């Protein structure tokens, strides 16, 4: 085995890119053909956009937020981003975190890689880096890295929403890493090694493990279910919808003269949402479906049809009452009621053990990639936090917003244009 690889040779089967028309076809059929994920999947690290956004959503996630350590200056931050980029480029291809693999190197030194992924294939690993508002201006107003004037206007701490119950130790962070893979050990290995590489330069502030994707980001994926038992991700953006992705996900040229470095990037919104699943489980089926606005079995709109049919919000039932409750989750989140806005949702289920009363500490780690949070997330969340019937069963306990730089060219580091 080469010293540069964490294991032997694996085929580097990339993601299949289905024709955009396949989306309409598969949606019309109501049954997208599932393309099975393979352990040998390896997505290219270098490219126009970072991986982990339009990449077909993997089944496992490890998300981590970091604060840059006191005393670290601009050069040291650039050093960290360079080391992270090099490690991410290697690990996503099935290699080690360091230049030497976990079993090589000086016998009297710690290995450069921690080793738990040594025998594992790439498993579709993607690593996505983001920069938080506090990287630009910290809590005391300091411009630690000389980048304050280049902060995008949209990159501000998310506002307080009605019923937010945010835990500061589950929120925000100077930097974030989203690692997604088919195998949880591969995602955890990535975050663990990037944390280790950051030692003395950035400190892990909080992290979250996720399982069971609650989105579909490719026409090749079937709709998975969330912990309420409902199909989730039916109407999410798919990577194959190129024009929609350009309009709703990537930051366009000229969006913000102060932040040209972000063009081709995106914004990552993360919300840790606790779900009162025991209470939900006692709610009648009629109520559950009314709250969501879709059937539990098929995921079809309550107004009729099959899963991928559009809801008919004008359809009235007995007494002239709309069949789709005006405060159902889907009614409030639908683009027709949000100025045509779509978002690329990429969330995961989570379970963090249980509380003293024997209730699961479970929920949904909501992630969305958007072109601008001011138009594509904040207005929708404001309305939903006030009116969404589902809110009775939800509590938002963590939150963060990060600017996600565009993709990396070989020989560069992630976010390089910010420091040019
Ligand atoms: C503000 C954005 C959203 C949050 C927060 C959110 C939380 C959340 N959602 C579900 C379950 C479902 N959501 C569904 C659809 C849906 N949700 C949002 C936005 C947020 N959800 C959007 C934009 C949509 C699509 C609306 C549309 O175009 O029709 C669905 C239905 C299936 C689907 O289309 O995905 C479910 C089910 C939970 C449980 C949750 C928080 C825990
Ligand atoms: Fe939703």
């Amino acid at each position: 085995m080469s010293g540069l690889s964490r294991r032997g040779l694996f085929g580097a089967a990339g993601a299949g890119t289905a024709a955009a028309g396949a989306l309409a076809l598969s949606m019309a059929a109501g049954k997208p053909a599932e393309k099975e994920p393979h352990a040998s999947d390896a997505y290219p690290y270098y490219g126009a956009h970072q991986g982990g956004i339009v990449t077909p959503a993997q089944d496992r996630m490890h998300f981590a937020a970091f604060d840059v350590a006191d005393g670290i200056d601009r050069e040291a931050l650039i050093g960290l981003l360079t080391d992270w980029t090099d490690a991410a480029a290697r690990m996503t291809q099935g290699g080690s975190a360091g230049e030497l693999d976990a079993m090589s190197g000086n016998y009297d030194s710690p290995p450069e890689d921690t080793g738990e992924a040594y025998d594992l294939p790439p498993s579709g690993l993607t690593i996505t880096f983001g920069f938080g508002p506090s990287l630009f201006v910290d809590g005391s107003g300091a411009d630690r890295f000389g980048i304050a004037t280049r902060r995008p206007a949209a990159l501000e701490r998310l506002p307080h929403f009605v019923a937010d119950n945010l835990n500061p130790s589950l929120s925000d962070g100077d930097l974030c890493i989203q690692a997604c893979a088919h195998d949880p050990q591969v995602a955890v290995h990535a975050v663990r090694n990037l944390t280790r590489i950051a030692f003395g330069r950035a400190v892990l502030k909080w992290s979250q493990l996720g399982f069971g994707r609650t989105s579909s980001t490719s026409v090749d994926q079937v709709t998975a279910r969330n912990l309420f038992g409902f199909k989730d991700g039916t109407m999410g953006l798919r990577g194959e919808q190129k024009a929609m992705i350009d309009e709703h996900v990537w930051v366009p040229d000229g969006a913000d003269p102060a932040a040209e470095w972000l063009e081709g990037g995106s914004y990552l919104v993360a919300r840790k949402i606790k779900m009162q699943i025991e209470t939900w489980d006692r709610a009648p089926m009629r109520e559950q479906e009314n709250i969501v606005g879709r059937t539990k079995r098929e995921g079809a709109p309550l107004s009729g049809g099959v899963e991928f049919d559009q809801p008919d919000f004008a359809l009235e039932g007995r007494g002239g009452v709309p069949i789709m409750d005006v405060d159902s989750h889907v009614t409030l989140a639908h683009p027709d009621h949000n100025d045509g806005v779509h978002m690329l949702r990429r969330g995961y289920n989570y379970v963090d053990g249980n509380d003293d009363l024997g209730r699961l500490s479970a929920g949904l780690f909501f992630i969305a990639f958007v072109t601008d949070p001011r138009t594509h997330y904040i207005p929708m969340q404001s309305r939903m936090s006030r009116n969404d019937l589902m809110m009775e069963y939800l509590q938002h306990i963590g939150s963060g917003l990060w600017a996600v730089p565009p993709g990396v060219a070989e020989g560069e580091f992630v976010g390089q244009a910010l420091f040019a």
Side-chain angles (χ1 to χ4, degrees):
M1 182 185 294
S2 145
L4 290 173
S5 169
R6 74 174 179 228
R7 61 189 86 86
L9 286 174
F10 291 94
T17 33
L23 179 72
L25 274 178
S26 51
M27 285 191 168
K31 261 194 242 161
E34 175 82 32
K35 184 172 174 287
E36 287 296 321
H38 288 291
S40 60
D41 291 343
Y43 298 109
Y45 182 71
Y46 300 108
H49 309 290
Q50 290 196 62
I53 304 174
V54 295
T55 312
Q58 304 91 325
D59 203 53
R60 304 299 180 124
M61 176 213 69
H62 194 177
F63 188 92
F66 297 80
D67 278 339
V68 178
D70 289 346
I72 293 301
D73 63 10
R74 182 184 172 101
E75 285 315 305
L77 174 62
I78 290 173
L80 170 61
L81 294 174
T82 305
D83 293 347
W84 271 1
T85 303
D86 293 345
R90 282 190 286 265
M91 289 191 286
T92 52
Q93 304 312 300
S96 308
E99 283 182 21
L100 296 177
D101 74 36
M103 309 303 161
S104 305
N106 187 330
Y107 204 43
D108 293 314
S109 301
E112 289 186 9
D113 183 290
T114 53
E116 70 272 29
Y118 182 70
D119 305 303
L120 300 177
S123 305
L125 175 68
T126 55
I127 298 173
T128 318
F129 296 101
F131 299 163
S134 54
L135 190 71
F136 295 81
V137 181
D138 73 9
S140 63
D143 176 8
R144 291 171 289 169
F145 311 111
I147 53 176
T149 56
R150 310 193 70 188
R151 181 181 67 81
L155 187 65
E156 282 200 74
R157 242 180 129 249
L158 290 171
H160 175 85
F161 299 104
V162 172
D164 269 5
N165 189 13
L166 301 183
N167 181 343
S169 61
L170 297 174
S171 301
D172 307 317
D174 294 341
L175 300 160
C176 80
I177 297 174
Q178 177 203 254
C180 299
H182 309 324
D183 180 340
Q185 184 134 333
V186 170
V188 168
H189 168 263
V191 167
R192 176 182 177 191
N193 279 270
L194 294 168
T195 305
R196 188 168 180 256
I197 287 168
F199 182 77
R201 296 183 283 184
V203 183
L204 184 60
K205 184 180 185 208
W206 59 274
S207 61
Q208 183 65 52
L209 287 174
F211 65 93
R213 60 179 171 84
T214 59
S215 65
S216 304
T217 56
S218 166
V219 295
D220 291 332
Q221 295 181 300
V222 295
T223 318
R225 290 182 189 268
N226 60 35
L227 295 179
F228 283 159
F230 276 75
K231 288 190 179 184
D232 205 339
T234 301
M235 285 302 175
L237 284 179
R238 307 298 201 269
E240 292 85 354
Q241 295 173 292
K242 207 181 161 315
M244 299 275 280
I245 297 286
D246 284 344
E247 184 181 350
H248 297 287
V249 178
W250 307 131
V251 174
D253 291 359
D256 185 340
E260 280 177 12
W261 61 271
L262 190 57
E263 291 168 3
S266 190
Y267 289 90
L268 185 162
V269 177
R271 304 284 288 181
K272 183 167 180 174
I273 308 174
K274 190 170 188 302
M275 291 159 61
Q276 313 291 354
I277 54 174
E278 290 79 6
T279 319
W280 176 266
D281 294 342
R282 288 196 294 272
M285 185 70 138
R286 181 190 301 278
E287 186 183 337
Q288 292 187 9
E289 291 195 339
N290 189 60
I291 288 169
V292 173
R294 289 182 172 274
T295 62
K296 196 164 185 175
R297 187 192 299 271
E298 303 289 346
L302 290 187
S303 52
V306 292
E307 183 185 356
F308 295 103
D309 287 344
Q310 283 295 331
D312 179 353
F313 298 111
L315 189 70
E316 294 176 349
R318 205 175 292 159
V321 178
I323 303 266
M324 299 285 300
D325 195 301
V326 293
D327 289 331
S328 78
H329 186 75
V330 161
T331 303
L332 291 171
H334 195 274
D336 284 3
H337 305 131
N338 290 281
D339 290 326
V341 152
H342 294 256
M343 52 178 76
L344 188 135
R345 285 176 287 148
R346 221 176 182 285
Y348 289 86
N349 300 315
Y350 76 85
V351 176
D352 294 342
N354 57 274
D355 67 15
D356 292 346
L357 297 173
R359 296 175 302 198
L360 285 181
S361 305
L364 190 147
F365 192 76
F366 176 90
I367 293 179
F369 290 92
V370 295
T371 182
D372 188 331
R374 296 169 300 185
T375 50
H376 279 60
Y377 177 75
I378 294 171
M380 187 187 296
Q381 183 61 53
S382 302
R383 237 183 332 271
M384 288 170 71
S385 63
R386 281 192 302 267
N387 300 325
D388 184 359
L389 294 171
M390 199 185 276
M391 281 303 289
E392 191 183 337
Y393 300 88
L394 306 180
Q395 207 178 28
H396 288 235
I397 57 175
S399 175
L401 176 69
W402 291 269
V404 174
V408 184
E410 224 165 327
E412 291 184 349
F413 62 89
V414 67
Q416 182 162 324
L418 169 60
F419 300 91

